[in-house]
Amino acid sequence: MKNKLNWTDFVESCNNCQNCDLAKTRNNVVIYRGAIRAPLMFVGEAPGADEDLQGKPFVGAAGKLLDLLLTAFGFPSESYHICNIVKCRPPENRVPTPEESKACKALLATQFKFVRPQIIVLLGATAYRNFTGSNEPITKIRGEWIEKNGYLIMPTIHPAFILRNNNERISLWKDLEKVRLKMEELGLLPQLISQPEMPQGRK
């Protein structure tokens, strides 16, 4: 009987993956940031240039914005796991193709088995489309809970979009506030003592 896959084996299988042409242009496979097992899982679109160089997701400008909000709401690093639909950077930061997303699907499914989240935050339209199969605009469906396959799912705006449209920052703030309150309600995090204040961004 084959031994059960462990995290080290999973990382190795990601690093050795040649399932699509993105493997030819990547510097690093980008797997996760945060805790391996966590009640909260953030799923974004794809690594960018900074992520490709560092081998970690959300370490560029969009990641710094996300970190500001996570800190403001008091999410400890052991409470979340951050990843993307695909693990290799598409050239010029383009949206991953359906074929590329499909090639990475089995690895992402295995990743979910390790993380075992109760709540999933889908960051942006690509993550939402790949996870739900729906093409609805993210601005129309964001902020509303979805229950699917035993998960509580919160679709929201990608932080990179907010860097270009700072007026939408309040939308992401409100959605993460709902996530924080839901985690408190489920006993996954203690109640915050004081109400957080939204970090100020670019005008």
Side-chain angles (χ1 to χ4, degrees), residues 34-92:
I36 294 174
R37 183 175 176 185
L40 174 61
M41 191 170 185
F42 290 90
V43 183
E45 178 179 292
D50 292 313
E51 290 76 16
D52 181 50
L53 288 173
Q54 295 186 41
K56 293 182 180 180
F58 285 86
V59 292
K64 288 179 173 60
L65 173 56
L66 179 61
D67 284 346
L68 276 175
L69 300 181
L70 291 174
T71 299
F73 278 112
F75 287 102
S77 60
E78 65 269 19
S79 71
Y80 59 80
H81 180 106
I82 303 174
C83 64
N84 285 301
I85 290 294
V86 299
K87 292 176 167 49
C88 301
R89 180 197 181 196
E92 306 302 321

Side-chain angles (χ1 to χ4, degrees), residues 31-189:
I31 302 173
Y32 86 109
R33 183 161 68 87
I36 294 174
R37 183 175 176 185
L40 174 61
M41 191 170 185
F42 290 90
V43 183
E45 178 179 292
D50 292 313
E51 290 76 16
D52 181 50
L53 288 173
Q54 295 186 41
K56 293 182 180 180
F58 285 86
V59 292
K64 288 179 173 60
L65 173 56
L66 179 61
D67 284 346
L68 276 175
L69 300 181
L70 291 174
T71 299
F73 278 112
F75 287 102
S77 60
E78 65 269 19
S79 71
Y80 59 80
H81 180 106
I82 303 174
C83 64
N84 285 301
I85 290 294
V86 299
K87 292 176 167 49
C88 301
R89 180 197 181 196
E92 306 302 321
N93 290 353
R94 63 166 171 74
V95 175
T97 66
E99 292 75 21
E100 290 161 354
S101 299
K102 185 177 180 181
C104 222
K105 195 170 184 178
L107 289 174
L108 185 61
T110 300
Q111 196 163 355
F112 267 86
K113 292 176 182 178
F114 281 108
V115 181
R116 296 169 64 182
Q118 292 175 249
I119 296 175
I120 300 167
V121 177
L122 299 177
L123 296 167
T126 301
Y128 175 72
R129 182 172 60 251
N130 278 273
F131 203 84
T132 66
S134 172
N135 286 312
E136 284 187 275
I138 195 71
T139 49
K140 287 187 68 175
I141 49 80
R142 56 141 289 270
E144 299 297 328
W145 287 108
I146 301 168
E147 290 191 42
K148 184 177 181 179
N149 299 331
Y151 300 117
L152 277 172
I153 302 168
M154 173 61 69
T156 191
I157 294 169
H158 196 288
F161 180 80
I162 292 168
L163 295 175
R164 304 187 298 271
N165 303 271
N166 195 51
N167 290 339
E168 290 291 343
R169 181 179 292 237
I170 187 65
S171 299
L172 179 56
W173 175 264
K174 288 180 177 178
D175 295 346
L176 287 187
E177 182 178 38
K178 289 180 180 178
V179 172
R180 171 75 209 203
L181 290 173
K182 180 61 71 175
M183 292 186 76
E184 292 177 9
E185 178 187 321
L186 296 174
L188 302 172
L189 286 176

